[in-house]
Amino acid sequence: PCNVVVLISGSGSNLQALIDSLDEDNSPARIRAVVSNRAEAFGLQRAQAANIDTHVVQHKDFADREAFDAALMEIIDTYQPQLVVLAGFMRILTAGFVRHYQGRLLNIHPSLLPKYKGLDTHRRALDAGDREHGCSVHFVTEELDGGPVAIQACLKIEPNESIDKLTDRVHAAEHIIYPLAVHWFAEGRLRLATQGAMLDDMLLPATGHL
Ligand code: GAR
């Protein structure tokens, strides 16, 4: 199967969705390791409960981004992953890191990219009066949150919807689309091409309305 390393910083609910979706003996991928930049990330406990190797690489222990990313790469590469999955990993990665995993690095972002790159996406969608919001899985390139999108889930924002409710609904949608994208990749169906993200011979994104 496809060896996967997952990078997290926090709760790891997307990690949990991936663990649950890869539970079967004949699953197309195996999560070999979880790496966190924060020792207190709850996702580390989720990984340990699933018997997955865990590592903590704290950015504050390194002089600069290059040194931090080099340490990350060293650990990740011991697992020889075909795929590296960012699941709520809240550090900006260097160009060197991104190039090293070009075509095998996925991220999930809580907005309908290209809208709302960066932080505070739910607040920004509400403040703008948007009628739709959602989440996107994309290949990571050197442009922050700018790589080709593979799949998006689109939600209608309800009248007077609270930020907490919208955040929860987007999170639930993330837990559907991230496993889908990882399964596609592990099955050899999803790839990064010069035209963008491709599923079999179809140019993506695939957008589902939930
Ligand atoms: C998710 O909502 C993910 O989209 C977001 O962090 C959350 C992590 O939740 N990622 C980013 O904002 C990346 N810039 P989780 O730890 O429960 O999976």
Side-chain angles (χ1 to χ4, degrees):
C2 173
N3 288 332
V4 180
V5 172
V6 181
L7 271 55
I8 62 166
S9 300
S11 157
S13 70
N14 279 287
L15 166 67
Q16 189 68 57
L18 291 170
I19 290 171
D20 294 345
S21 79
L22 296 170
D23 204 19
E24 307 284 320
D25 284 346
N26 60 356
S27 294
R30 288 270 183 289
I31 302 174
R32 296 291 178 199
V34 170
V35 184
S36 173
N37 65 311
R38 293 176 59 238
E40 62 276 23
F42 180 65
L44 291 168
Q45 294 181 42
R46 299 182 191 269
Q48 282 152 12
N51 281 315
I52 298 168
D53 285 6
T54 58
H55 299 270
V56 175
V57 184
Q58 303 200 83
H59 52 270
K60 56 181 191 230
D61 294 343
F62 296 88
D64 53 30
R65 283 189 195 277
E66 277 70 23
F68 171 65
D69 282 11
L72 274 182
M73 284 191 264
E74 196 177 317
I75 288 176
I76 293 168
D77 286 348
T78 60
Y79 294 93
Q80 299 189 290
Q82 284 81 23
L83 177 64
V84 177
V85 168
L86 307 179
F89 185 71
M90 302 306 279
R91 301 289 303 171
I92 293 174
L93 295 160
T94 57
F97 184 100
V98 170
R99 274 197 296 268
H100 183 71
Y101 298 106
Q102 176 95 295
R104 51 189 180 122
L105 185 57
L106 290 175
N107 182 41
I108 191 152
H109 183 76
S111 76
L112 293 172
L113 290 172
K115 284 188 120 174
Y116 310 128
K117 298 172 179 178
L119 299 174
D120 218 12
T121 56
H122 310 302
R123 167 58 53 213
R124 288 154 69 200
L126 286 174
D127 286 353
D130 288 0
R131 303 181 61 176
E132 293 183 329
H133 185 45
C135 48
S136 309
V137 176
H138 66 95
F139 282 101
V140 177
T141 62
E142 288 175 45
E143 188 196 339
L144 182 68
D145 298 329
V149 173
I151 182 171
Q152 296 184 313
C154 181
L155 308 174
K156 279 209 174 5
I157 296 179
E158 290 162 6
N160 302 313
E161 183 160 2
S162 71
I163 187 161
D164 289 348
K165 177 146 190 237
L166 182 61
T167 303
D168 285 352
R169 289 204 300 131
V170 171
H171 239 127
E174 292 182 15
H175 303 157
I176 297 171
I177 65 169
Y178 217 176
L180 249 181
V182 168
H183 279 244
W184 286 343
F185 187 94
E187 290 160 355
R189 299 177 57 198
L190 171 64
R191 65 195 168 86
L192 178 62
T194 42
Q195 312 93 301
M198 306 284 296
L199 176 64
D200 301 327
D201 57 357
M202 182 173 72
L203 188 61
L204 294 165
T207 303
H209 292 260
L210 295 176

